[in-house]
Amino acid sequence: MSSPAPDAPRLAVLASGGGSNLQALIDAHARGDLPAPIVLVISNRADAGALARARRHQIPAFHVGRRDHADPDARILELLQAHRVDVVVLAGWLKLVDPRVLAAFPERVVNIHPGPLPRFGGKGMHGIHVHEAVLAAGVPCSGPTVHLVNERYDEGPPLAAVEVPVEAGDTPQTLQQRVLGAEHALLWRVIRDHFCESTAGVKGT
Ligand code: GAR
């Protein structure tokens, strides 16, 4: 992995799934495109592919679930602070972010959503359900949105979105793959542009 710029923000990635967006961030940092290092990965699922990917790259990776922690969100906050995280990235994280975490990282929690917002967001609108809804609506374009996170699902201010055309004969799965490719190209750029170009006010303690 390339050396981080001395004042680059330190990233944590929260991921519930396979972690292909995490991988895209790891790769962008290794290529030198993303100055910010990924210093911590947390999943609410012990078998998440994201944890395995992190460990393959020697990134500290933790499963935080209800079985082991009476207050999982307090444990998440403790890990974020212990690893001196500056920016929290939700990459396939399917839970609301606790208000204590939002208060500790004001305007420094970002989410990638696999569809246009606000139309295709909200509770239950995640993963394949987003692509099913887009196809059912018959819209010509989909595409990922990156936004700041607040206490409600998919409602924080958008930072960037790209359009991905819906093609004739698309299934939720084919559309999902095309959008996922766009997510991988988008997420590191938004983090770089929003948090790395000028790190004033971004670095935490
Ligand atoms: C991505 O498509 C991401 O946008 C989506 O989950 C997938 C995770 O894939 N997130 C949501 O639906 C959150 N509302 P990955 O684990 O391969 O990065």
Side-chain angles (χ1 to χ4, degrees):
M1 191 170 284
S2 69
S3 314
D7 56 355
R10 294 163 60 83
L11 306 180
V13 175
L14 273 54
S16 305
S20 70
N21 275 292
L22 165 67
Q23 189 69 53
L25 294 180
I26 293 170
D27 293 346
H29 180 64
R31 287 195 307 272
D33 285 339
L34 175 65
I38 297 131
V39 300
L40 174 66
V41 172
I42 297 173
S43 184
N44 59 315
R45 291 188 43 189
D47 62 351
L51 291 177
R53 288 182 195 266
R55 291 178 182 134
R56 275 203 292 280
H57 292 273
Q58 288 79 49
I59 298 169
F62 296 85
H63 165 232
V64 180
R66 291 222 161 268
R67 188 173 299 182
D68 300 320
H69 302 281
D71 185 350
D73 291 311
R75 173 66 177 151
I76 289 172
L77 182 56
E78 180 182 88
L79 285 169
L80 294 171
Q81 291 174 333
H83 289 78
R84 293 180 289 114
V85 165
D86 298 304
V87 174
V88 181
V89 181
L90 312 185
W93 180 254
L94 302 183
K95 296 164 70 66
L96 283 176
V97 177
D98 189 88
R100 290 166 290 180
V101 173
L102 293 173
F105 295 89
E107 307 211 341
R108 287 186 281 136
V109 183
V110 294
N111 178 47
I112 185 153
H113 183 76
L117 293 175
R119 182 166 178 189
F120 297 102
K123 189 166 167 51
M125 200 60 108
H126 56 81
I128 200 73
H129 304 302
V130 175
H131 309 294
E132 288 167 351
V134 165
L135 291 180
V139 294
C141 267
S142 186
T145 309
V146 178
H147 64 94
L148 293 176
V149 171
N150 66 16
E151 63 283 358
R152 292 178 296 278
Y153 285 109
D154 306 324
E155 279 192 24
L159 298 178
V162 291
E163 289 195 343
V164 172
V166 174
E167 293 179 2
D170 258 340
T171 63
Q173 289 75 19
T174 60
L175 182 58
Q176 180 177 46
Q177 284 312 308
R178 197 173 318 113
V179 171
L180 201 53
E183 292 182 43
H184 299 162
L186 178 67
L187 184 56
W188 67 264
R189 286 190 167 85
V190 177
I191 293 169
R192 180 196 62 186
D193 294 350
H194 195 75
F195 297 108
C196 301
E197 295 294 85
S198 163
T199 52
V202 170
K203 286 291 284 181
T205 49

